């Protein structure tokens, strides 16, 4: 994942009116049923009455109103969950051509999560905060982010696999505090947001096995050895075996054994810290190390390497970004796997400079 500029979608005046009206209706409908009692079931008569009061049928039909028992909490308790199913949101608005084109431009045609280049037919518009709410085991766990369904900063250009099969409507937070119990700006999402901060602070790639790894956790571990983040970056680019717990596709260890042992001991003593790693959790939730994706990244690395060894020899004085541009200008898919490309080129560059004094003459 790399940082993506926040999109600005120029919805037509007609679409803006529709979006405003939809969000307003959802607000009114939810505040209407908000004071209804727990354990009440939403009946056909209730729905008909809501429609008679002027609420749109597609919202009323897709309104969720149920009482859930939170058995995993001690003591267990019941909570009213209200929200909407995905059918309440209009894809002809949030995924209209204007939105798709604007989002695609900002990602240069790549999935916001996995950075695979997408043909137009493979791409879809997903949500960072799910308008249908965070559900697990098909249960709605809390009021959803329905009002963010059409917000451009909540819309992501993404592939079907990342967006639907993996992420879906998951949206855990570090302290389990969600909107509306906390303010949006005070919420602590687990998922790295490609529009805010730098995703590379959390997730980076190992050019030896094309796997994503939790750079945030590696930094925390190496901080115990007195290394700053920029030092960890250099240390890892110098030798990919300094990334802890890395394996080949055949499950052979490729990290230094001493580092792995120290890292495992540290993890054992810092279980909570490991669990709160946004990098590790995002890799898992979006499926950044799924087999097909790692295979595609390995192929990308192979072609990158042949270009690197052929073309980059005369560009030692170029910046990292320029080197990446040189590589990627030659690829038909544009700028896919840019974060992996950055790590690979920096790693190879370090290896080249390490041997160059001996081979220069
Ligand atoms: Zn993807």
């Amino acid at each position: 994942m790399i940082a993506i500029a926040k999109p600005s979608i120029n919805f037509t005046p007609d679409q803006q009116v529709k979006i405003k009206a939809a969000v307003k209706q959802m607000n009114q409908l939810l505040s209407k049923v908000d004071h209804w009692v727990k354990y009440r079931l939403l009946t056909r008569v209730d729905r008909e009455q809501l429609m008679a009061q002027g609420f749109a049928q597609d919202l009323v039909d897709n309104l969720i109103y149920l009482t859930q028992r939170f058995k995993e909490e001690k003591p267990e308790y019941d909570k009213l969950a209200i929200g909407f199913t995905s059918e309440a949101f209009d894809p002809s608005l949030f995924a209209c051509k204007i939105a798709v084109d604007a989002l695609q431009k900002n990602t240069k045609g790549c999935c916001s999560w996995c950075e695979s280049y997408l043909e137009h037919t493979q791409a879809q518009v997903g949500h960072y905060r799910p308008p249908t709410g965070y559900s697990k085991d098909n249960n709605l766990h809390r009021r959803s982010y329905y009002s963010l369904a059409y917000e451009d900063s909540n819309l992501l250009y993404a592939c079907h696999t990342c967006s639907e099969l993996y992420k879906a409507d998951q949206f855990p937070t570090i302290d389990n505090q969600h909107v509306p119990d906390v303010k949006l700006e005070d919420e602590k999402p687990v998922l790295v947001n490609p529009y805010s901060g730098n995703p590379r602070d959390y997730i980076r790639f190992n050019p030896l096995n094309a796997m994503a790894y939790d750079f945030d956790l590696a930094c925390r571990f190496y901080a115990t050895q007195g290394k700053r983040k920029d030092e960890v970056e250099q240390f890892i680019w110098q030798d990919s075996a300094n990334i802890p717990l890395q394996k080949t596709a055949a499950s052979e260890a490729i990290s230094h054994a001493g580092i792995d042992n120290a890292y495992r001991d540290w993890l054992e003593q810092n279980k909570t810290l490991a669990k709160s790693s946004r990098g590790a959790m995002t890799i898992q939730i979006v499926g950044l190390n799924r087999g097909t994706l790692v295979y595609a990244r390995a192929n990308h690395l192979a072609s990158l390497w042949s270009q690197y060894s052929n073309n980059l020899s005369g560009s030692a004085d170029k910046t990292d970004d320029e080197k990446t541009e040189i590589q990627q200008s030659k690829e038909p898919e544009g700028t896919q796997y840019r974060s992996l490309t950055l790590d690979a080129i920096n790693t190879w560059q370090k290896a080249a400079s390490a041997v160059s004094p001996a081979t220069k003459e």
Side-chain angles (χ1 to χ4, degrees):
M1 281 173 79
I2 51 157
I4 302 169
K6 253 184 210 165
S8 169
I9 303 172
N10 292 316
F11 289 111
T12 64
D14 179 52
Q15 287 172 325
Q16 287 176 28
V17 169
K18 282 183 181 164
I19 287 171
K20 225 175 160 182
V23 174
K24 192 178 169 191
Q25 275 244 325
M26 286 191 279
N27 274 329
Q28 288 172 337
L29 184 51
L30 291 188
S31 55
K32 184 106 197 156
V33 298
D34 209 13
H35 61 273
W36 285 4
V37 289
K38 269 192 244 179
Y39 312 108
R40 173 172 169 170
L41 290 173
L42 196 64
T43 62
R44 188 173 56 82
V45 174
D46 289 331
R47 290 187 196 272
E48 280 170 2
Q49 278 176 0
L50 288 168
M51 278 187 278
Q53 288 166 32
F55 292 108
Q57 184 174 354
D58 59 342
L59 289 186
V60 174
D61 282 350
N62 295 301
L63 176 66
I64 300 169
Y65 182 91
L66 47 88
T67 304
Q68 279 187 317
R69 182 150 295 178
F70 286 75
K71 286 185 179 167
E72 64 272 24
E73 307 287 332
K74 295 287 174 245
E76 59 181 57
Y77 66 99
D78 294 346
K79 194 176 176 184
L80 186 61
I82 55 176
F84 295 97
T85 65
S86 59
E87 285 76 19
F89 305 99
D90 186 356
S92 76
L93 288 176
F94 70 77
C96 67
K97 189 171 183 311
I98 293 171
V100 171
D101 288 350
L103 297 169
Q104 192 228 20
K105 194 173 146 226
N106 279 19
T107 66
K108 297 188 168 65
C110 298
C111 172
S112 306
W113 298 114
C114 72
E115 292 185 86
S116 303
Y117 179 76
L118 305 175
E119 298 298 335
H120 241 70
T121 48
Q122 299 168 305
Q124 60 183 85
V125 175
H127 292 92
Y128 176 67
R129 288 184 168 83
T132 49
Y134 170 41
S135 82
K136 230 179 182 179
D137 315 322
N138 293 322
N139 287 322
L140 187 76
H141 276 207
R142 58 178 164 73
R143 186 177 296 193
S144 57
Y145 300 96
Y146 64 94
S147 61
L148 301 177
Y150 307 101
E151 281 281 323
D152 36 20
S153 61
N154 195 41
L155 299 176
L156 292 165
Y157 190 78
C159 72
H160 174 76
T161 311
C162 286
S163 193
E164 293 289 313
L165 301 184
Y166 279 88
K167 180 188 173 291
D169 47 12
Q170 295 181 77
F171 195 73
T173 54
I174 285 162
D175 50 8
N176 273 327
Q177 290 286 305
H178 299 100
V179 172
D181 298 331
V182 292
K183 285 188 198 154
L184 197 62
E185 57 268 32
D186 294 333
E187 199 180 49
K188 294 181 182 138
V190 164
L191 269 179
V192 174
N193 186 343
Y195 294 144
S196 91
N198 186 0
R200 281 182 55 76
D201 287 347
Y202 305 95
I203 300 169
R204 295 207 178 188
F205 294 86
N206 181 353
L208 287 183
N209 59 7
M211 300 281 277
Y213 70 92
D214 34 25
F215 183 67
D216 57 344
L217 213 48
C219 286
R220 281 177 178 174
F221 166 65
Y222 280 122
T224 63
Q225 300 176 8
K227 285 190 173 64
R228 297 187 314 265
K229 191 175 82 184
D230 58 315
E231 292 171 330
V232 176
E233 177 179 87
Q234 296 298 325
F235 186 60
I236 282 175
W237 283 341
Q238 270 159 21
D239 181 1
S240 303
N242 289 330
I243 308 167
L245 304 183
Q246 295 294 295
K247 290 183 172 149
T248 64
S251 291
E252 287 156 1
I254 49 179
S255 309
H256 293 300
I259 288 176
D260 272 359
N261 290 336
Y263 188 75
R264 280 197 193 93
D265 288 346
W266 175 78
L267 274 187
E268 190 57 37
Q269 289 156 19
N270 295 279
K271 282 178 184 155
T272 338
L273 207 61
K275 270 187 196 158
S276 67
S277 157
R278 297 183 69 194
M281 291 293 288
T282 303
I283 290 169
Q284 190 200 330
I285 289 171
V286 191
L288 289 185
N289 280 334
R290 56 188 186 259
T292 48
L293 188 55
V294 175
Y295 183 74
R297 286 199 300 253
N299 280 337
H300 172 81
L301 271 180
S303 93
L304 198 63
W305 172 251
S306 72
Q307 288 168 25
Y308 175 84
S309 38
N310 287 336
N311 306 328
L312 214 66
S313 48
S315 64
D317 53 341
K318 293 203 162 38
T319 66
D320 293 341
D321 274 354
E322 283 168 341
K323 287 174 211 161
T324 314
E325 290 304 324
I326 291 170
Q327 295 303 323
Q328 296 191 322
S329 63
K330 297 180 191 305
E331 289 174 43
E333 294 89 1
T335 49
Q336 70 173 342
Y337 310 128
R338 191 181 160 90
S339 190
L340 166 68
T341 302
L342 272 172
D343 286 322
I345 289 177
N346 278 291
T347 303
W348 296 337
Q349 194 69 32
K350 283 263 176 291
S353 63
V355 295
S356 61
T359 54
K360 233 172 193 171
E361 297 305 312

